[in-house]
Amino acid sequence: MEQTWRWWGPNDIITLSHVCQVGATGIVTALHDIPTGELWSSDAVAERKRAIESDRRLGLRWSVVESLPIHERIKLGEGNPSELLDTYRQSMRNLAMHGVTTICYNFMPVLDWARTQLRAPLPGGGNALRFNAHEFAAFDCYMLRRDGADIDYNADVLDHAKSWFAKATEDDKRRLLGAIMAGLPGAFDRYDIEGLRTMLARYRGIDRFRLRENLACFLREIIPTAEEVGIRMAIHPDDPPRPLLGLPRICSNAEDIAFILDAVPSPSNGLTFCTGSLGASYANDLPAMARRFAPNIHFAHLRNVAKQADGSFMEADHLGGDNDMVGVVKALLSEQKRRRDAGEANWRIPFRPDHGRELLDDVGKPTHPGYPAIGRMRGLAEIRGVMTALAAEHGFPI
């Protein structure tokens, strides 16, 4: 599998030279400075590609876009989206023109992902991302004060939430709001409580069936262009895979994924297989899902989580946690072999080590939450070891 690394662009304190040192060859990035809904011009794409690939000694290429974001109006089905869709299609063409042909995207409303702690302390030092169900419930019920929020949580979680909120300082509340707002997409916009209430109000009346149809409409509009220019679209699962803040989630399990792939059957309509997102649900059998959807997996995020019965979870070591990482990697390597044996030109599946823990010298550095250098380097090394062992045992190409 192609070993890739998420890079946040020229302002990332983890440089392209650092990426070369850890052994990755593919770069996963986006034009984060361009607001959602605006055009990614050919010149802007070319400039980013040159930044990544001009120093040939590093051996890097722009492998995957993560992500080309979808405007909230398209998710809402609000008004006439023709201009937004035209812009999206032209951005796709401009990427393909410069040889960037895998696009990871998501259809999560309002929040791309949700955590309640961005730096939860670990034994012996270091930090990790964490989702505490009671803290999220406290935010939803007592800070946001969303109507009907209490029916979304069980009695134990609500009791714990009430206790947390009664003891919380103003700093605790600001920290929690900041952690939840860190999951917002786009050019790092943030909402205050009132702004978030206003955004949620726009989704009143949008249930999972309406949101599903809005996604299907989007796919019907853009997949023909993807086929025309050789783009592979790869939807990212919901993180976590459950409704949040009264918002529906529609890419959380095997049934959801099957609906999305069947909505517009095409080799260009595919999946980003994220073991951390899907693995935050006890109901998801990750190796079975990887085998079932293997032909449509265009990109993989490999990370692990340790789950709790109340819905809480914490980012674990890549080979720790609850998810069968070896089984998933075996399924992906098997699919690679099938593609190579079938004569497919782009048979390698790009993957990246996702959401490393803050370890050693990375503690306290201003990296993006979940994206320190050393924790991800550890994860990449561990997954590389699994790949090498499976390849030796089964004859898989890597």
Side-chain angles (χ1 to χ4, degrees):
M1 295 189 292
E2 182 186 13
Q3 300 172 40
T4 71
W5 188 270
R6 189 168 194 181
W7 182 60
W8 295 92
N11 295 325
D12 195 334
I13 68 169
I14 301 168
T15 67
L16 294 172
S17 295
H18 294 152
V19 178
C20 176
Q21 290 175 50
V22 305
T25 58
I27 294 295
V28 177
T29 193
L31 305 185
H32 297 288
D33 56 318
I34 298 178
T36 300
E38 294 190 12
L39 179 69
W40 289 19
S41 70
S42 176
D43 287 346
V45 172
E47 181 181 354
R48 179 58 55 86
K49 187 177 175 72
R50 278 193 300 270
I52 294 167
E53 300 181 9
S54 59
D55 188 344
R56 295 182 180 276
R57 296 171 301 171
L58 300 181
L60 301 175
R61 77 179 191 104
W62 188 356
S63 175
V64 177
V65 171
E66 187 176 345
S67 59
L68 182 57
I70 299 168
H71 199 279
E72 214 69 29
R73 280 179 50 208
I74 294 174
K75 298 176 188 177
L76 283 159
E78 201 174 64
N80 184 347
S82 296
E83 185 175 345
L84 290 169
L85 291 166
D86 287 343
T87 299
Y88 200 96
R89 284 187 287 255
Q90 188 58 48
S91 295
M92 292 167 63
R93 293 187 183 99
N94 292 341
L95 286 162
M97 182 191 311
H98 294 284
V100 186
T101 56
T102 301
I103 297 176
C104 171
Y105 73 100
N106 77 72
F107 216 75
M108 290 178 257
V110 184
L111 295 175
D112 273 10
W113 52 273
R115 300 292 185 274
T116 60
Q117 289 180 272
L118 301 182
R119 289 176 171 85
L122 298 168
N127 303 301
L129 295 171
R130 183 174 176 84
F131 180 92
N132 288 317
H134 70 279
E135 287 185 331
F136 198 86
F139 174 81
D140 195 6
C141 297
Y142 307 122
M143 291 174 62
L144 187 62
R145 297 195 299 276
R146 179 174 63 87
D147 289 343
D150 57 331
I151 67 173
D152 290 344
Y153 306 95
N154 66 41
D156 288 342
V157 169
L158 282 175
D159 286 346
H160 199 176
K162 193 177 298 184
S163 175
W164 181 91
F165 186 74
K167 298 174 184 175
T169 65
E170 290 305 309
D171 281 345
D172 292 333
K173 296 172 190 176
R174 278 193 291 271
R175 175 195 58 76
L176 180 57
L177 174 63
I180 292 171
M181 289 302 101
L184 283 166
F188 310 112
D189 290 333
R190 296 292 179 264
Y191 299 124
D192 58 14
I193 292 291
E194 285 305 318
L196 183 56
R197 285 181 185 139
T198 299
M199 193 67 218
L200 293 177
R202 292 172 65 186
Y203 273 90
R204 286 184 189 140
I206 305 290
D207 60 13
R208 66 180 269 103
F209 301 103
R210 174 81 178 275
L211 190 63
R212 267 186 167 189
E213 181 52 31
N214 291 347
L215 172 56
C217 288
F218 170 74
L219 292 173
R220 287 193 289 268
E221 290 284 347
I222 62 100
I223 291 300
T225 300
E227 293 172 339
E228 172 194 332
V229 299
I231 290 276
R232 300 184 301 178
M233 300 296 296
I235 191 168
H236 188 285
D238 302 324
D239 183 12
R242 68 192 71 157
L244 295 175
L245 304 179
L247 297 166
R249 302 283 229 179
I250 58 169
C251 190
S252 294
N253 52 45
E255 189 260 338
D256 288 342
I257 294 168
F259 172 88
I260 293 164
L261 299 179
D262 290 343
V264 183
S266 168
S268 291
N269 182 19
L271 173 67
T272 295
F273 195 81
C274 181
T275 55
S277 298
L278 294 168
S281 168
Y282 284 104
N284 288 332
D285 181 335
L286 298 190
M289 293 173 72
R291 291 190 295 269
R292 177 177 174 181
F293 300 114
N296 294 94
I297 295 174
H298 298 326
F299 183 35
H301 291 175
L302 301 182
R303 63 180 170 91
N304 223 321
V305 294
K307 300 186 285 291
Q308 295 174 235
D310 68 352
S312 302
F313 60 89
M314 188 163 184
E315 306 279 1
D317 294 331
H318 285 73
L319 298 185
D322 301 327
N323 300 321
D324 181 2
M325 191 68 71
V326 174
V328 169
V329 173
K330 184 177 180 181
L332 296 177
L333 288 174
S334 178
E335 170 61 15
Q336 273 202 161
K337 184 177 186 301
R338 184 199 67 77
R339 295 180 189 185
R340 188 199 63 176
D341 292 350
E344 296 185 21
N346 297 318
W347 54 268
R348 280 194 170 89
I349 299 171
F351 82 93
R352 65 174 178 83
D354 199 12
H355 291 191
R357 294 174 159 199
E358 277 190 354
L359 305 172
L360 305 174
D361 291 345
D362 272 339
V363 175
K365 288 184 178 178
T367 53
H368 289 266
Y371 290 94
I374 295 171
R376 285 189 290 161
M377 181 174 67
R378 173 179 169 175
L380 180 59
E382 291 176 345
I383 295 165
R384 186 184 293 140
V386 170
M387 289 166 53
T388 303
L390 288 171
E393 182 178 358
H394 300 284
F396 295 136
I398 58 172

